[in-house]
Amino acid sequence: IPLYSGSYQREKFFVVKEEGPLSTTEIQHHDLSVTAKYLVTEKATLSPTIFGGWDLNVETEDEGWGNGLYDYRELGSGCDFDYLVYDAPKGRIQLVSGAKWYVRQYPNYHSLISLATTTAPETHEKDYDGIELSSGWKYTNLKNTSLDLKYILLMKYFTDKKIIDEDGILEGRRRQEYRNSVRLTALYSPAPNKGFQYNYSSEFIGNMGNQNFYDSRGTAVLSDDVFTPHYYDYLGFDARPEISYVFAKKDKPIAILTGGYSFLMRHYTERKPQDSDGNYKSGRQLDFEHIFKASLEIPVAKHVSWITRYDYTLEFSNMDYEQFYTYNYKLHRVMSGVSISY
C-alpha cells in the first residue's frame, strides 16, 4: 500500500525590521511510505513498512528551498503487530505494538566549532539514528467511541554530537537520548458525520539523556562558569480537548466548526532558570504553554475542503534570559487554505 502525504505552509509574521514589519516563513513537508499487510491468523496482523520524510524551510530572505537551517531528511523501516483480543457486537479490543528504525539528517545544520576550524571534533550535531518501540491497547465500539492507550519509547543515538564534560571539553562519548511517553487518545461521536464530535488526547513524557551544558558566562575567568549535568532532561505533560460540530444536509457535511484548547507543561529536572541578565536563580526551569484555537472547514468537493483557522498562544516560563531563545510571548495566528485528501 503506497501512501504519500505532503503539505505546504506559508506564514507571515509581523516583526519589526528596518525595511518593514513583515516577515515570511515557508514550510514544505513530505512523507512517503510503502506498507504491506499480512494476516498471520484470523486475529493477528503483521504490517511491515518502509518510509521516508523530507522537511524544507525558508526562514530568511537569503534562503532558498533546500538551504534552510532546519531542513531534514529521514529514511527508515518498521513493523506493526495487531492482535484482536476481544471481538463482540458491542465492541472490540486490540493489542497493538510496533517497532521502527530510521536515520534523520540535517544537511545544513553545522556546529559552531565546525565553522571555526576544518579539524572540528563534530560537525553534524543534530543528526541521529532513531529506534522507536511502542505497545498498547485500542478499544472501539459501534457507538463511534474509541480509546487508545499506548506506551512509546524513542531512543536517539546522535552520530556526531559529543558529550560536554564539567570542564567544558568535548568527550569521546556521543550524545544519547531516551524519551518515554504514555499517550491517551479518546474519540466520541454520537452520530457519524453530523452533530457534535468530541476528541481528547494527552501525553505524559519523561526525557532522559547524557548531554550536559557548560556556560562560560562570556567571560575569560573560570570562577563564574556554570556546569549543568543532564541539561535536556525533563518531565512533561500535555492535554488537548477538542469539540466539533458538523453541520449536515441529508447526512452530508456542509461545514465543520471546531474549538479546542491545548495545554503543555515541561519541568526540567536539572536546568536552573536565569534572570534577564543571565544570572542563575534558584529552583528549576518550568515552562507552560496555552493554545486556544478555532477552525471552520467547508467541503467544496469530495476530496477538497477550504479550512480557516485561528489560534492564540500564550507561552510563559521562569526562564527570563532570552538572548538566544524566547520563552515568554503571546502569538496570534490566522491561517486559511485548501486541504486535499484521498
Side-chain angles (χ1 to χ4, degrees), residues 16-37:
V16 177
K17 301 175 67 176
E18 291 181 358
E19 62 274 16
L22 186 62
S23 179
T24 301
T25 295
E26 296 179 84
I27 302 172
Q28 289 186 47
H29 185 75
H30 305 273
D31 287 314
L32 181 64
S33 64
V34 179
T35 303
K37 183 172 287 188

Side-chain angles (χ1 to χ4, degrees), residues 75-210:
L75 181 66
S77 62
C79 189
D80 292 325
F81 175 77
D82 296 350
Y83 183 79
L84 185 59
V85 178
Y86 174 80
D87 190 11
K90 292 184 178 181
R92 60 191 306 177
I93 298 176
Q94 291 174 278
L95 170 64
V96 294
S97 59
K100 67 178 182 179
W101 166 87
Y102 63 96
V103 175
R104 177 174 290 191
Q105 297 176 334
Y106 294 80
N108 304 320
Y109 195 103
H110 302 282
S111 63
L112 294 177
I113 193 172
S114 70
L115 301 178
T117 175
T118 57
T119 58
E122 60 180 25
T123 302
H124 300 287
E125 61 175 291
K126 287 184 71 67
D127 294 3
Y128 69 88
D129 297 337
I131 299 175
E132 183 179 288
L133 306 175
S134 62
S135 182
W137 298 87
K138 185 175 182 179
Y139 167 78
T140 56
N141 70 11
L142 297 179
K143 293 184 178 181
N144 306 303
T145 300
S146 67
L147 291 172
D148 193 345
L149 181 64
K150 183 179 293 186
Y151 166 75
I152 304 170
L153 169 62
L154 173 59
M155 297 170 281
K156 295 182 179 180
Y157 300 96
F158 290 79
T159 56
D160 203 22
K161 182 61 181 175
K162 304 296 192 302
I163 298 301
I164 302 172
D165 67 14
E166 58 187 10
D167 295 319
I169 299 174
L170 295 177
E171 300 180 1
R173 295 183 300 143
R174 289 184 172 84
R175 180 182 175 185
Q176 298 179 5
E177 204 163 271
Y178 303 91
R179 185 181 188 273
N180 297 271
S181 64
V182 177
R183 183 181 302 167
L184 172 66
T185 304
L187 168 67
Y188 175 56
S189 176
N193 299 322
K194 63 180 180 180
F196 285 103
Q197 317 285 317
Y198 305 93
N199 289 276
Y200 175 80
S201 62
S202 61
E203 188 172 18
F204 294 89
I205 305 169
N207 195 75
M208 301 175 292
N210 60 351

Side-chain angles (χ1 to χ4, degrees), residues 214-217 219-227 280:
Y214 187 87
D215 186 3
S216 65
R217 309 296 301 280
T219 64
V221 298
L222 301 177
S223 58
D224 62 347
D225 292 0
V226 177
F227 173 75
Y280 284 85

Side-chain angles (χ1 to χ4, degrees), residues 154-342:
L154 173 59
M155 297 170 281
K156 295 182 179 180
Y157 300 96
F158 290 79
T159 56
D160 203 22
K161 182 61 181 175
K162 304 296 192 302
I163 298 301
I164 302 172
D165 67 14
E166 58 187 10
D167 295 319
I169 299 174
L170 295 177
E171 300 180 1
R173 295 183 300 143
R174 289 184 172 84
R175 180 182 175 185
Q176 298 179 5
E177 204 163 271
Y178 303 91
R179 185 181 188 273
N180 297 271
S181 64
V182 177
R183 183 181 302 167
L184 172 66
T185 304
L187 168 67
Y188 175 56
S189 176
N193 299 322
K194 63 180 180 180
F196 285 103
Q197 317 285 317
Y198 305 93
N199 289 276
Y200 175 80
S201 62
S202 61
E203 188 172 18
F204 294 89
I205 305 169
N207 195 75
M208 301 175 292
N210 60 351
Q211 183 59 288
N212 312 310
F213 181 72
Y214 187 87
D215 186 3
S216 65
R217 309 296 301 280
T219 64
V221 298
L222 301 177
S223 58
D224 62 347
D225 292 0
V226 177
F227 173 75
T228 304
H230 304 288
Y231 187 76
Y232 297 97
D233 290 12
Y234 67 85
L235 299 174
F237 170 75
D238 70 69
R240 298 178 295 276
E242 186 177 276
I243 182 171
S244 300
Y245 189 86
V246 181
F247 297 89
K249 185 177 182 180
K250 296 181 180 180
D251 293 330
K252 183 179 180 180
I254 58 174
I256 304 172
L257 183 64
T258 302
Y261 167 71
S262 175
F263 169 79
L264 170 66
M265 183 276 293
R266 182 173 291 180
H267 170 68
Y268 289 89
T269 57
E270 298 292 340
R271 187 186 304 185
K272 292 183 178 181
Q274 297 169 263
D275 63 22
S276 58
D277 295 322
N279 301 309
Y280 284 85
K281 301 186 292 185
S282 60
R284 295 294 183 266
Q285 182 176 336
L286 187 61
D287 299 339
F288 292 95
E289 180 184 78
H290 303 272
I291 302 178
F292 304 88
K293 45 193 173 182
S295 68
L296 175 63
E297 178 180 350
I298 300 177
V300 296
K302 184 177 180 180
H303 301 286
V304 181
S305 297
W306 184 272
I307 302 176
T308 300
R309 296 176 181 171
Y310 165 79
D311 61 59
Y312 169 64
T313 300
L314 175 62
E315 189 104 14
F316 60 93
S317 169
N318 58 356
M319 171 65 82
D320 299 316
Y321 186 60
E322 299 184 324
Q323 182 177 357
F324 305 105
Y325 300 99
T326 301
Y327 297 96
N328 299 274
Y329 63 87
K330 299 176 182 179
L331 176 65
H332 297 269
R333 295 198 307 171
V334 178
M335 296 166 283
S336 188
V338 176
S339 173
I340 302 174
S341 60
Y342 287 90

